[in-house]
Coordinates of all heavy atoms in Angstrom, one line a residue:
G450 N 17.8 -12.1 -12.9 CA 16.6 -12.9 -13.1 C 15.9 -13.1 -11.8 O 14.6 -13.1 -11.7
Q451 N 16.7 -13.5 -10.7 CA 16.1 -13.8 -9.4 C 15.3 -12.5 -8.9 O 14.2 -12.6 -8.4 CB 17.2 -14.2 -8.5 CG 16.6 -14.4 -7.0 CD 17.8 -14.7 -6.0 OE1 17.6 -15.6 -5.2 NE2 18.8 -13.9 -6.1
G452 N 15.9 -11.3 -9.0 CA 15.3 -10.2 -8.4 C 14.0 -9.8 -9.1 O 13.0 -9.5 -8.5
I453 N 14.0 -9.8 -10.5 CA 12.7 -9.5 -11.2 C 11.7 -10.5 -11.0 O 10.5 -10.3 -10.8 CB 13.0 -9.2 -12.7 CG1 14.1 -8.1 -12.8 CG2 11.8 -8.9 -13.4 CD1 14.4 -7.8 -14.2
A454 N 12.1 -11.8 -11.1 CA 11.2 -12.9 -10.9 C 10.6 -12.9 -9.5 O 9.4 -13.2 -9.3 CB 11.9 -14.2 -11.2
R455 N 11.4 -12.5 -8.5 CA 10.9 -12.4 -7.1 C 9.8 -11.4 -7.0 O 8.7 -11.6 -6.4 CB 12.0 -12.1 -6.1 CG 11.6 -12.0 -4.7 CD 12.7 -11.5 -3.9 NE 13.8 -12.4 -3.8 CZ 15.1 -12.0 -4.1 NH1 15.3 -10.8 -4.5 NH2 16.0 -12.9 -4.0
A456 N 10.0 -10.2 -7.6 CA 8.9 -9.2 -7.6 C 7.7 -9.6 -8.3 O 6.5 -9.4 -7.9 CB 9.5 -7.9 -8.2
M457 N 7.9 -10.4 -9.4 CA 6.7 -10.9 -10.2 C 5.9 -11.9 -9.3 O 4.7 -11.9 -9.4 CB 7.3 -11.5 -11.5 CG 6.2 -11.7 -12.6 SD 7.1 -12.4 -14.0 CE 8.3 -11.1 -14.4
I458 N 6.6 -12.8 -8.7 CA 6.0 -13.9 -7.8 C 5.1 -13.2 -6.8 O 4.0 -13.6 -6.5 CB 7.0 -14.8 -7.3 CG1 7.7 -15.7 -8.3 CG2 6.4 -15.6 -6.1 CD1 8.9 -16.5 -7.9
V459 N 5.7 -12.2 -6.1 CA 5.0 -11.6 -4.9 C 3.8 -10.8 -5.5 O 2.7 -10.8 -4.9 CB 6.0 -10.7 -4.1 CG1 5.2 -9.9 -3.1 CG2 7.0 -11.5 -3.5
L460 N 4.0 -9.9 -6.5 CA 3.0 -9.0 -7.0 C 1.9 -9.7 -7.8 O 0.7 -9.3 -7.7 CB 3.6 -7.9 -7.7 CG 4.6 -7.0 -6.9 CD1 5.2 -5.9 -7.9 CD2 3.9 -6.3 -5.8
E461 N 2.2 -10.7 -8.6 CA 1.2 -11.3 -9.3 C 0.7 -12.6 -8.8 O -0.3 -13.2 -9.2 CB 1.8 -11.6 -10.8 CG 2.2 -10.3 -11.5 CD 2.7 -10.7 -13.0 OE1 2.4 -11.8 -13.5 OE2 3.2 -9.8 -13.6
G462 N 1.4 -13.1 -7.8 CA 0.9 -14.3 -7.1 C 1.1 -15.6 -8.0 O 0.2 -16.5 -7.9
I463 N 2.1 -15.6 -8.8 CA 2.4 -16.8 -9.7 C 3.5 -17.7 -9.2 O 4.2 -17.3 -8.3 CB 2.6 -16.3 -11.1 CG1 3.9 -15.4 -11.2 CG2 1.4 -15.6 -11.7 CD1 4.2 -14.9 -12.6
S464 N 3.7 -18.8 -9.8 CA 4.7 -19.7 -9.4 C 6.0 -19.3 -9.9 O 6.2 -18.4 -10.8 CB 4.4 -21.2 -9.8 OG 4.4 -21.2 -11.3
M465 N 7.1 -20.0 -9.4 CA 8.5 -19.7 -9.9 C 8.6 -20.0 -11.4 O 9.2 -19.2 -12.2 CB 9.5 -20.5 -9.1 CG 10.9 -20.2 -9.5 SD 12.1 -21.4 -8.9 CE 11.8 -22.7 -10.1
I466 N 8.1 -21.1 -11.8 CA 8.2 -21.5 -13.3 C 7.5 -20.5 -14.2 O 8.0 -20.0 -15.2 CB 7.7 -22.9 -13.6 CG1 8.4 -23.9 -12.7 CG2 7.8 -23.2 -15.0 CD1 9.9 -24.0 -13.0
A467 N 6.3 -20.1 -13.7 CA 5.5 -19.1 -14.5 C 6.2 -17.7 -14.6 O 6.2 -17.0 -15.6 CB 4.1 -18.9 -13.9
A468 N 6.9 -17.3 -13.5 CA 7.5 -16.1 -13.4 C 8.8 -16.1 -14.3 O 9.0 -15.1 -15.0 CB 8.0 -15.8 -11.9
L469 N 9.5 -17.2 -14.3 CA 10.7 -17.3 -15.2 C 10.3 -17.3 -16.7 O 10.9 -16.7 -17.5 CB 11.5 -18.5 -14.9 CG 12.1 -18.5 -13.5 CD1 12.9 -19.8 -13.2 CD2 13.1 -17.3 -13.3
K470 N 9.2 -17.9 -17.0 CA 8.7 -17.9 -18.4 C 8.3 -16.5 -18.8 O 8.6 -16.0 -19.9 CB 7.5 -18.9 -18.5 CG 7.9 -20.3 -18.5 CD 6.7 -21.2 -18.6 CE 7.0 -22.7 -18.7 NZ 5.9 -23.6 -18.8
R471 N 7.6 -15.8 -17.9 CA 7.2 -14.4 -18.2 C 8.4 -13.5 -18.3 O 8.4 -12.6 -19.1 CB 6.2 -13.9 -17.2 CG 4.7 -14.0 -17.6 CD 3.7 -13.5 -16.7 NE 3.9 -12.2 -16.1 CZ 3.8 -11.0 -16.8 NH1 3.6 -11.0 -18.1 NH2 4.0 -9.9 -16.2
L472 N 9.4 -13.8 -17.5 CA 10.6 -12.9 -17.5 C 11.3 -13.0 -18.9 O 11.8 -11.9 -19.3 CB 11.5 -13.4 -16.4 CG 12.8 -12.7 -16.3 CD1 12.6 -11.1 -16.0 CD2 13.7 -13.3 -15.2
T473 N 11.4 -14.1 -19.5 CA 12.1 -14.2 -20.8 C 11.4 -13.3 -21.8 O 12.1 -12.8 -22.7 CB 12.1 -15.7 -21.2 OG1 10.7 -16.2 -21.3 CG2 12.9 -16.5 -20.3
G474 N 10.0 -13.2 -21.7 CA 9.4 -12.3 -22.7 C 9.5 -10.9 -22.3 O 9.7 -10.0 -23.3
L475 N 9.4 -10.5 -21.1 CA 9.4 -9.2 -20.7 C 10.8 -8.5 -20.9 O 10.9 -7.3 -21.2 CB 9.0 -9.1 -19.1 CG 7.5 -9.0 -18.8 CD1 7.4 -8.9 -17.3 CD2 6.8 -7.9 -19.5
I476 N 11.9 -9.2 -20.6 CA 13.2 -8.6 -20.7 C 13.8 -8.7 -22.1 O 14.8 -8.1 -22.2 CB 14.1 -9.4 -19.7 CG1 15.2 -8.5 -19.1 CG2 14.7 -10.7 -20.4 CD1 16.0 -9.1 -18.0
R477 N 13.1 -9.2 -23.0 CA 13.6 -9.3 -24.4 C 13.8 -7.8 -24.9 O 12.9 -7.0 -24.9 CB 12.6 -10.0 -25.3 CG 13.2 -10.2 -26.7 CD 12.2 -11.0 -27.6 NE 12.1 -12.4 -27.1 CZ 11.0 -12.9 -26.5 NH1 9.9 -12.2 -26.5 NH2 10.9 -14.1 -26.1
G478 N 14.9 -7.5 -25.4 CA 15.3 -6.2 -25.9 C 15.7 -5.2 -24.9 O 16.1 -4.1 -25.2
R479 N 15.6 -5.6 -23.6 CA 16.0 -4.7 -22.5 C 17.0 -5.4 -21.6 O 17.2 -4.9 -20.5 CB 14.8 -4.3 -21.7 CG 13.7 -3.5 -22.5 CD 14.2 -2.2 -23.0 NE 14.5 -1.3 -21.9 CZ 14.9 -0.1 -22.1 NH1 15.1 0.4 -23.3 NH2 15.1 0.8 -21.0
F480 N 17.6 -6.5 -22.0 CA 18.4 -7.3 -21.1 C 19.7 -6.5 -20.7 O 19.9 -6.3 -19.5 CB 18.8 -8.6 -21.8 CG 19.8 -9.4 -21.0 CD1 19.5 -10.1 -19.8 CD2 21.1 -9.5 -21.4 CE1 20.4 -10.8 -19.1 CE2 22.1 -10.2 -20.7 CZ 21.7 -10.9 -19.6
W481 N 20.5 -6.1 -21.7 CA 21.7 -5.4 -21.4 C 21.5 -4.1 -20.6 O 22.3 -3.7 -19.8 CB 22.5 -5.2 -22.6 CG 23.0 -6.5 -23.2 CD1 22.7 -7.1 -24.4 CD2 24.0 -7.4 -22.6 NE1 23.3 -8.3 -24.5 CE2 24.2 -8.5 -23.5 CE3 24.7 -7.4 -21.4 CZ2 25.0 -9.5 -23.2 CZ3 25.6 -8.4 -21.2 CH2 25.7 -9.4 -22.0
W482 N 20.4 -3.4 -21.0 CA 20.0 -2.2 -20.3 C 19.7 -2.5 -18.8 O 20.2 -1.8 -17.9 CB 18.8 -1.6 -21.0 CG 18.3 -0.3 -20.3 CD1 17.2 -0.2 -19.6 CD2 19.0 1.0 -20.3 NE1 17.0 1.1 -19.2 CE2 18.1 1.8 -19.6 CE3 20.1 1.4 -20.8 CZ2 18.5 3.2 -19.4 CZ3 20.5 2.8 -20.7 CH2 19.6 3.7 -19.9
S483 N 19.1 -3.6 -18.5 CA 18.7 -4.0 -17.2 C 20.0 -4.4 -16.4 O 20.1 -4.0 -15.2 CB 17.7 -5.1 -17.1 OG 16.5 -4.7 -17.8

Side-chain angles (χ1 to χ4, degrees):
Q451 176 186 225
I453 299 178
R455 182 189 293 124
M457 200 178 299
I458 289 171
V459 173
L460 296 176
E461 296 184 15
I463 58 180
S464 66
M465 183 195 76
I466 301 299
L469 294 178
K470 288 181 179 179
R471 260 184 47 72
L472 176 61
T473 57
L475 278 180
I476 207 169
R477 186 177 295 116
R479 303 292 297 178
F480 173 74
W481 292 112
W482 178 251
S483 301

